[in-house]
Amino acid sequence: MSQSTLTPPEPPRTDAGSPLGNGLKQRHLSMIALGGVIGAGLFVGSGAGIAAAGPSIVLAYAASGLLVMFVMRMLGEMSAANPASGSFSVHAERAIGPWAGFTAGWMFWILLCVGVAIEAIGAAHIMTGWFPGTPSWVWVLVFMAVFCGSNLAAVSNFGEFEFWFAALKIGAIGLFLGLGVLAVLGLLPGTSSPGTANLLHDGGLLPHGVDGLLVGLLASVVAYGGLETVTIAAAESENPVAGVAKAVRTTMWRIAIVYVGSMLVIVTLLPWNDPAVTADGPYAATLSHLGIPAAGEIMNVVILIALMSAMNANIYGSSRMAYSLVSRGQGPKALGKVSGGVPRRAVLASCGFGFVTVLLSYWYPDTLFAWLLNMVGGVILIVWGFIAVSQFVLRRRLEREAPEKLVVKMWGFPYLTWVALAGVAGVLVLMALGEDTRVQVVFTGGLTVALAVTGWVMQNRAVQRRAAATR
């Protein structure tokens, strides 16, 4: 990035009209939106949230889900008006300036690349459990090679991979919810309805008080990250405007059912303090409680699919974000070449960073890799903040200059935009106050400041060069 240049604030630029392919269909976009947030964090990580918040985890997921709905509605409004593979990075540049697009874009790129490493390691762990004696690095190499290869091919390949991965995940969730509802009603053979016993006993709805609820809220916010990928993918769809509009509209309530509905089923059927919730994961523990044979192995298969799906989506999202940044003069020009409708150098760079982070996790698990994890801990909240500010500015501009582009509109503008901003700020404050999450705020803040200062300096230099050239 040190050799890149930034364009001055005006006129705003996007990467619309780029040579990227348009092989994604509406069914791909819908599944990318639905599958992008259903990952191992939901299947396993939600157990820690349940242990901390108890039955109030349902309230935590509902509150954070409402915040995500606002953020996605704002992002959908901007992306339907101006589809771009850089998504919120492009919108931030148009609304605030190149330094903001630079900051949001490269932060998200780092987040996705680190995510690829985490998912590869998790998938390798499952495979070594199934094939004892095989080194985990072999499985990491296999997964990285497969999904790097799929992303180097036509974008339709990525869409098909993600469509079927997401379909399997959603099918598993749907089956889980169906069995869970039958058990809650006492209609599943061999079970009796628990009523409200698990919801109101063992400490009640808030067994650990408001502090426990806040811990659950923080855990749920992280779990929702990933929906943004659909607006990145929309730029390569057959009809970007209609595609992103439909995907955003239909996804929100489905995600609410998946997350909030799952949490409600789990804490209704199981005591929140059951050790299996954290030891085996809440979904596996619930299936075991219902007497489903081999529940643990079934969930391992589902989690493996979720991890592979996330790897595939993160490599795609990071490569497109890198390409968009480069095409706008905000990154190394070498990554901007497109062949066959695919930014192959950007794909390789994103995969390369993923490989490096995997190696760091093996060599320095308690130092460098831990530092990377902390650094990206609050990135999604910073990105959501950029989205809210950008939407506030661009909505006013669109209303004046091109109201016909407002295919998707943010509800209750500008009041709910302010509510979303306040929600993002509130979660960051809670993270700063929490002993376990404070370090993430510090590291993420350091990354944000470093990128913002770099972007600001480069932006000013670009302005000065243009001014000197016109004299």
Side-chain angles (χ1 to χ4, degrees):
M1 285 182 282
S2 59
Q3 297 177 347
S4 62
T5 58
L6 284 173
T7 56
E10 294 293 341
R13 297 170 55 188
T14 73
D15 55 345
S18 71
L20 294 178
N22 61 347
L24 294 180
K25 304 179 185 299
Q26 181 60 48
R27 65 183 179 90
H28 294 147
L29 285 183
S30 296
M31 282 300 186
I32 289 169
L34 286 168
V37 296
I38 303 174
L42 173 64
F43 291 120
V44 179
S46 56
I50 293 172
S56 68
I57 191 69
V58 178
L59 301 179
Y61 270 87
S64 56
L66 188 61
L67 174 60
V68 172
M69 282 188 176
F70 291 161
V71 170
M72 282 306 299
R73 188 74 182 186
M74 290 186 286
L75 185 54
E77 176 184 291
M78 294 184 290
S79 297
N82 292 288
S85 64
S87 186
F88 51 82
S89 172
V90 171
H91 306 321
E93 177 178 347
R94 291 169 59 87
I96 307 170
W99 71 268
F102 177 91
T103 304
W106 285 115
M107 285 183 74
F108 196 69
W109 183 81
I110 294 172
L111 170 66
L112 294 185
C113 289
V114 173
V116 169
I118 296 170
E119 290 135 14
I121 294 166
H125 178 72
I126 292 176
M127 297 304 294
T128 54
W130 287 342
F131 300 95
T134 57
S136 59
W137 67 264
V138 171
W139 294 111
V140 169
L141 184 63
V142 168
F143 289 130
M144 290 293 293
V146 167
F147 293 113
C148 185
S150 72
N151 276 276
L152 286 171
V155 68
S156 57
N157 285 13
F158 158 76
E160 284 300 317
F161 266 107
E162 198 58 25
F163 176 84
W164 291 110
F165 280 145
L168 289 170
K169 289 190 293 184
I170 293 164
I173 288 282
L175 182 59
F176 174 85
L177 287 173
L179 292 173
V181 170
L182 289 176
V184 168
L185 298 175
L187 300 177
L188 191 68
T191 63
S192 58
S193 175
T196 59
N198 293 322
L199 294 175
L200 302 180
H201 295 175
D202 293 321
L205 188 64
L206 292 162
H208 293 154
V210 176
D211 290 342
L213 175 61
L214 295 180
V215 173
L217 180 64
L218 295 178
S220 62
V221 166
V222 175
Y224 279 112
L227 270 174
E228 303 81 11
T229 305
V230 70
T231 57
I232 295 175
E236 294 182 77
S237 64
E238 297 170 326
N239 189 336
V241 174
V244 73
K246 185 174 181 180
V248 168
R249 285 171 179 153
T250 60
T251 299
M252 295 179 185
W253 63 268
R254 295 175 182 173
I255 290 297
I257 291 175
V258 166
Y259 275 82
V260 180
S262 292
M263 293 302 106
L264 183 57
V265 164
I266 290 167
V267 295
T268 301
L269 291 176
L270 288 178
W272 64 268
N273 52 3
D274 187 330
V277 170
T278 51
D280 303 331
Y283 288 79
T286 303
L287 291 177
S288 295
H289 175 75
L290 296 179
I292 306 298
E297 286 307 309
I298 291 173
M299 286 312 304
N300 271 338
V301 173
V302 174
I303 292 167
L304 180 63
I305 292 170
L307 288 167
M308 291 192 295
S309 171
M311 281 186 67
N312 192 41
N314 284 349
I315 292 173
Y316 172 84
S318 58
S319 65
R320 270 37 176 200
M321 182 60 74
Y323 166 77
S324 177
L325 287 160
V326 169
S327 70
R328 290 177 280 131
Q330 298 179 354
K333 293 181 179 180
L335 300 183
K337 186 176 180 180
V338 175
S339 55
V342 178
R344 293 196 169 99
R345 292 182 181 178
V347 171
L348 291 172
S350 299
C351 290
F353 192 88
F355 271 118
V356 169
T357 51
V358 168
L359 293 175
L360 291 178
S361 73
Y362 287 122
W363 294 337
Y364 310 103
D366 299 322
T367 52
L368 285 178
F369 190 63
W371 179 77
L372 270 176
L373 291 178
N374 284 325
M375 185 173 64
V376 301
V379 162
I380 196 64
L381 289 165
I382 303 297
V383 167
W384 289 354
F386 274 115
I387 289 172
V389 173
S390 301
Q391 187 268 338
F392 184 84
V393 174
L394 293 179
R395 173 64 175 268
R396 297 295 194 196
R397 190 180 299 170
L398 282 171
E399 288 176 337
R400 292 194 309 268
E401 301 173 1
E404 70 280 359
K405 287 188 174 183
L406 287 170
V407 179
V408 177
K409 289 185 178 182
M410 174 58 180
W411 309 297
F413 179 82
Y415 307 107
L416 290 184
T417 298
W418 285 113
V419 169
L421 267 174
V424 169
V427 175
L428 283 171
V429 169
L430 292 176
M431 289 182 68
L433 295 176
E435 188 174 340
D436 295 333
T437 52
R438 187 178 301 125
V439 65
Q440 294 181 8
V441 175
V442 173
F443 275 85
T444 301
L447 174 65
T448 305
V449 170
L451 287 173
V453 169
T454 302
W456 183 262
V457 169
M458 296 171 69
Q459 174 180 307
N460 286 342
R461 286 178 179 176
V463 172
Q464 292 168 5
R465 283 194 297 270
R466 182 154 74 167
T470 57
R471 288 175 189 156

mmCIF file of all heavy atoms in Angstrom, residues 296-322:
data_model
loop_
_atom_site.group_PDB
_atom_site.id
_atom_site.type_symbol
_atom_site.label_atom_id
_atom_site.label_comp_id
_atom_site.label_asym_id
_atom_site.label_seq_id
_atom_site.Cartn_x
_atom_site.Cartn_y
_atom_site.Cartn_z
ATOM 1 N N GLY A 296 -23.092 -35.496 17.977
ATOM 2 C CA GLY A 296 -21.815 -34.795 17.903
ATOM 3 C C GLY A 296 -21.198 -34.866 16.517
ATOM 4 O O GLY A 296 -20.707 -33.854 15.984
ATOM 5 N N GLU A 297 -21.218 -36.037 15.902
ATOM 6 C CA GLU A 297 -20.639 -36.187 14.571
ATOM 7 C C GLU A 297 -21.471 -35.463 13.515
ATOM 8 O O GLU A 297 -20.928 -34.913 12.551
ATOM 9 C CB GLU A 297 -20.501 -37.671 14.221
ATOM 10 C CG GLU A 297 -19.380 -38.381 14.953
ATOM 11 C CD GLU A 297 -18.040 -37.656 14.794
ATOM 12 O OE1 GLU A 297 -17.654 -37.352 13.645
ATOM 13 O OE2 GLU A 297 -17.400 -37.378 15.820
ATOM 14 N N ILE A 298 -22.786 -35.488 13.701
ATOM 15 C CA ILE A 298 -23.649 -34.749 12.770
ATOM 16 C C ILE A 298 -23.282 -33.275 12.785
ATOM 17 O O ILE A 298 -23.143 -32.634 11.737
ATOM 18 C CB ILE A 298 -25.135 -34.939 13.134
ATOM 19 C CG1 ILE A 298 -25.573 -36.374 12.867
ATOM 20 C CG2 ILE A 298 -26.014 -33.954 12.352
ATOM 21 C CD1 ILE A 298 -26.965 -36.691 13.358
ATOM 22 N N MET A 299 -23.092 -32.712 13.979
ATOM 23 C CA MET A 299 -22.752 -31.300 14.082
ATOM 24 C C MET A 299 -21.348 -31.033 13.564
ATOM 25 O O MET A 299 -21.078 -29.961 13.020
ATOM 26 C CB MET A 299 -22.885 -30.822 15.529
ATOM 27 C CG MET A 299 -24.319 -30.663 15.995
ATOM 28 S SD MET A 299 -25.378 -29.732 14.822
ATOM 29 C CE MET A 299 -24.472 -28.199 14.652
ATOM 30 N N ASN A 300 -20.426 -31.999 13.713
ATOM 31 C CA ASN A 300 -19.093 -31.817 13.143
ATOM 32 C C ASN A 300 -19.161 -31.672 11.630
ATOM 33 O O ASN A 300 -18.433 -30.856 11.033
ATOM 34 C CB ASN A 300 -18.183 -33.000 13.506
ATOM 35 C CG ASN A 300 -17.453 -32.783 14.815
ATOM 36 O OD1 ASN A 300 -17.284 -31.651 15.266
ATOM 37 N ND2 ASN A 300 -17.028 -33.865 15.441
ATOM 38 N N VAL A 301 -20.028 -32.454 10.993
ATOM 39 C CA VAL A 301 -20.208 -32.334 9.541
ATOM 40 C C VAL A 301 -20.765 -30.961 9.188
ATOM 41 O O VAL A 301 -20.282 -30.284 8.264
ATOM 42 C CB VAL A 301 -21.143 -33.441 9.014
ATOM 43 C CG1 VAL A 301 -21.470 -33.206 7.540
ATOM 44 C CG2 VAL A 301 -20.512 -34.813 9.208
ATOM 45 N N VAL A 302 -21.783 -30.526 9.938
ATOM 46 C CA VAL A 302 -22.391 -29.216 9.674
ATOM 47 C C VAL A 302 -21.376 -28.093 9.896
ATOM 48 O O VAL A 302 -21.285 -27.150 9.100
ATOM 49 C CB VAL A 302 -23.627 -29.015 10.573
ATOM 50 C CG1 VAL A 302 -24.191 -27.606 10.411
ATOM 51 C CG2 VAL A 302 -24.705 -30.038 10.247
ATOM 52 N N ILE A 303 -20.598 -28.200 10.971
ATOM 53 C CA ILE A 303 -19.599 -27.169 11.269
ATOM 54 C C ILE A 303 -18.526 -27.135 10.191
ATOM 55 O O ILE A 303 -18.068 -26.058 9.781
ATOM 56 C CB ILE A 303 -18.990 -27.406 12.654
ATOM 57 C CG1 ILE A 303 -20.038 -27.165 13.738
ATOM 58 C CG2 ILE A 303 -17.780 -26.502 12.885
ATOM 59 C CD1 ILE A 303 -19.623 -27.663 15.107
ATOM 60 N N LEU A 304 -18.104 -28.313 9.706
ATOM 61 C CA LEU A 304 -17.105 -28.359 8.636
ATOM 62 C C LEU A 304 -17.635 -27.659 7.390
ATOM 63 O O LEU A 304 -16.913 -26.878 6.747
ATOM 64 C CB LEU A 304 -16.740 -29.808 8.315
ATOM 65 C CG LEU A 304 -15.707 -30.000 7.200
ATOM 66 C CD1 LEU A 304 -14.370 -29.382 7.584
ATOM 67 C CD2 LEU A 304 -15.530 -31.478 6.865
ATOM 68 N N ILE A 305 -18.890 -27.918 7.049
ATOM 69 C CA ILE A 305 -19.501 -27.247 5.897
ATOM 70 C C ILE A 305 -19.540 -25.738 6.127
ATOM 71 O O ILE A 305 -19.249 -24.944 5.224
ATOM 72 C CB ILE A 305 -20.919 -27.793 5.647
ATOM 73 C CG1 ILE A 305 -20.849 -29.249 5.168
ATOM 74 C CG2 ILE A 305 -21.671 -26.936 4.631
ATOM 75 C CD1 ILE A 305 -22.190 -29.947 5.117
ATOM 76 N N ALA A 306 -19.890 -25.337 7.349
ATOM 77 C CA ALA A 306 -19.948 -23.912 7.671
ATOM 78 C C ALA A 306 -18.578 -23.265 7.539
ATOM 79 O O ALA A 306 -18.446 -22.146 7.030
ATOM 80 C CB ALA A 306 -20.487 -23.724 9.086
ATOM 81 N N LEU A 307 -17.545 -23.949 7.986
ATOM 82 C CA LEU A 307 -16.186 -23.414 7.897
ATOM 83 C C LEU A 307 -15.735 -23.301 6.442
ATOM 84 O O LEU A 307 -15.129 -22.291 6.046
ATOM 85 C CB LEU A 307 -15.224 -24.308 8.681
ATOM 86 C CG LEU A 307 -15.340 -24.245 10.207
ATOM 87 C CD1 LEU A 307 -14.575 -25.384 10.858
ATOM 88 C CD2 LEU A 307 -14.829 -22.908 10.728
ATOM 89 N N MET A 308 -16.019 -24.318 5.646
ATOM 90 C CA MET A 308 -15.627 -24.260 4.235
ATOM 91 C C MET A 308 -16.379 -23.151 3.509
ATOM 92 O O MET A 308 -15.817 -22.443 2.669
ATOM 93 C CB MET A 308 -15.884 -25.613 3.576
ATOM 94 C CG MET A 308 -14.962 -26.720 4.067
ATOM 95 S SD MET A 308 -15.028 -28.230 3.059
ATOM 96 C CE MET A 308 -16.721 -28.756 3.365
ATOM 97 N N SER A 309 -17.652 -22.993 3.838
ATOM 98 C CA SER A 309 -18.438 -21.920 3.245
ATOM 99 C C SER A 309 -17.854 -20.557 3.592
ATOM 100 O O SER A 309 -17.729 -19.678 2.734
ATOM 101 C CB SER A 309 -19.886 -22.014 3.738
ATOM 102 O OG SER A 309 -20.622 -20.880 3.355
ATOM 103 N N ALA A 310 -17.495 -20.387 4.867
ATOM 104 C CA ALA A 310 -16.929 -19.108 5.302
ATOM 105 C C ALA A 310 -15.580 -18.840 4.638
ATOM 106 O O ALA A 310 -15.280 -17.703 4.262
ATOM 107 C CB ALA A 310 -16.786 -19.094 6.819
ATOM 108 N N MET A 311 -14.748 -19.871 4.503
ATOM 109 C CA MET A 311 -13.474 -19.708 3.798
ATOM 110 C C MET A 311 -13.708 -19.231 2.378
ATOM 111 O O MET A 311 -13.069 -18.286 1.896
ATOM 112 C CB MET A 311 -12.711 -21.036 3.768
ATOM 113 C CG MET A 311 -11.980 -21.400 5.029
ATOM 114 S SD MET A 311 -10.978 -22.895 4.784
ATOM 115 C CE MET A 311 -9.748 -22.285 3.627
ATOM 116 N N ASN A 312 -14.621 -19.911 1.688
ATOM 117 C CA ASN A 312 -14.929 -19.569 0.305
ATOM 118 C C ASN A 312 -15.398 -18.120 0.191
ATOM 119 O O ASN A 312 -14.916 -17.353 -0.649
ATOM 120 C CB ASN A 312 -16.012 -20.520 -0.200
ATOM 121 C CG ASN A 312 -16.214 -20.465 -1.700
ATOM 122 O OD1 ASN A 312 -15.260 -20.385 -2.458
ATOM 123 N ND2 ASN A 312 -17.464 -20.507 -2.131
ATOM 124 N N ALA A 313 -16.325 -17.727 1.068
ATOM 125 C CA ALA A 313 -16.887 -16.376 1.022
ATOM 126 C C ALA A 313 -15.849 -15.317 1.401
ATOM 127 O O ALA A 313 -15.813 -14.233 0.814
ATOM 128 C CB ALA A 313 -18.089 -16.280 1.949
ATOM 129 N N ASN A 314 -14.998 -15.623 2.369
ATOM 130 C CA ASN A 314 -14.013 -14.638 2.812
ATOM 131 C C ASN A 314 -12.917 -14.418 1.783
ATOM 132 O O ASN A 314 -12.420 -13.293 1.620
ATOM 133 C CB ASN A 314 -13.408 -15.056 4.145
ATOM 134 C CG ASN A 314 -14.348 -14.823 5.309
ATOM 135 O OD1 ASN A 314 -15.372 -14.161 5.168
ATOM 136 N ND2 ASN A 314 -14.022 -15.377 6.466
ATOM 137 N N ILE A 315 -12.500 -15.481 1.091
ATOM 138 C CA ILE A 315 -11.518 -15.303 0.017
ATOM 139 C C ILE A 315 -12.126 -14.451 -1.090
ATOM 140 O O ILE A 315 -11.484 -13.535 -1.621
ATOM 141 C CB ILE A 315 -11.048 -16.662 -0.533
ATOM 142 C CG1 ILE A 315 -10.214 -17.400 0.519
ATOM 143 C CG2 ILE A 315 -10.225 -16.477 -1.815
ATOM 144 C CD1 ILE A 315 -9.842 -18.818 0.135
ATOM 145 N N TYR A 316 -13.379 -14.741 -1.431
ATOM 146 C CA TYR A 316 -14.058 -13.947 -2.446
ATOM 147 C C TYR A 316 -14.170 -12.482 -2.017
ATOM 148 O O TYR A 316 -13.787 -11.571 -2.755
ATOM 149 C CB TYR A 316 -15.456 -14.510 -2.709
ATOM 150 C CG TYR A 316 -16.291 -13.616 -3.603
ATOM 151 C CD1 TYR A 316 -16.177 -13.681 -4.977
ATOM 152 C CD2 TYR A 316 -17.163 -12.669 -3.054
ATOM 153 C CE1 TYR A 316 -16.916 -12.847 -5.799
ATOM 154 C CE2 TYR A 316 -17.905 -11.832 -3.858
ATOM 155 C CZ TYR A 316 -17.778 -11.925 -5.232
ATOM 156 O OH TYR A 316 -18.503 -11.072 -6.036
ATOM 157 N N GLY A 317 -14.709 -12.260 -0.813
ATOM 158 C CA GLY A 317 -14.935 -10.895 -0.357
ATOM 159 C C GLY A 317 -13.649 -10.101 -0.243
ATOM 160 O O GLY A 317 -13.591 -8.927 -0.623
ATOM 161 N N SER A 318 -12.589 -10.717 0.284
ATOM 162 C CA SER A 318 -11.326 -10.000 0.448
ATOM 163 C C SER A 318 -10.698 -9.659 -0.897
ATOM 164 O O SER A 318 -10.166 -8.563 -1.087
ATOM 165 C CB SER A 318 -10.347 -10.832 1.293
ATOM 166 O OG SER A 318 -10.110 -12.092 0.699
ATOM 167 N N SER A 319 -10.781 -10.579 -1.876
ATOM 168 C CA SER A 319 -10.189 -10.303 -3.186
ATOM 169 C C SER A 319 -10.933 -9.180 -3.898
ATOM 170 O O SER A 319 -10.304 -8.319 -4.531
ATOM 171 C CB SER A 319 -10.183 -11.571 -4.040
ATOM 172 O OG SER A 319 -11.499 -12.004 -4.336
ATOM 173 N N ARG A 320 -12.257 -9.168 -3.787
ATOM 174 C CA ARG A 320 -13.024 -8.099 -4.443
ATOM 175 C C ARG A 320 -12.811 -6.762 -3.760
ATOM 176 O O ARG A 320 -12.781 -5.715 -4.409
ATOM 177 C CB ARG A 320 -14.507 -8.448 -4.467
ATOM 178 C CG ARG A 320 -14.981 -9.218 -5.686
ATOM 179 C CD ARG A 320 -14.014 -10.213 -6.195
ATOM 180 N NE ARG A 320 -14.528 -11.011 -7.308
ATOM 181 C CZ ARG A 320 -14.009 -12.169 -7.661
ATOM 182 N NH1 ARG A 320 -12.971 -12.674 -6.991
ATOM 183 N NH2 ARG A 320 -14.493 -12.832 -8.695
ATOM 184 N N MET A 321 -12.682 -6.778 -2.440
ATOM 185 C CA MET A 321 -12.404 -5.524 -1.750
ATOM 186 C C MET A 321 -11.039 -4.984 -2.151
ATOM 187 O O MET A 321 -10.877 -3.778 -2.408
ATOM 188 C CB MET A 321 -12.475 -5.735 -0.236
ATOM 189 C CG MET A 321 -12.238 -4.463 0.578
ATOM 190 S SD MET A 321 -13.449 -3.157 0.229
ATOM 191 C CE MET A 321 -14.894 -3.820 1.065
ATOM 192 N N ALA A 322 -10.029 -5.876 -2.217
ATOM 193 C CA ALA A 322 -8.693 -5.448 -2.636
ATOM 194 C C ALA A 322 -8.723 -4.903 -4.055
ATOM 195 O O ALA A 322 -8.125 -3.857 -4.349
ATOM 196 C CB ALA A 322 -7.718 -6.616 -2.535
#
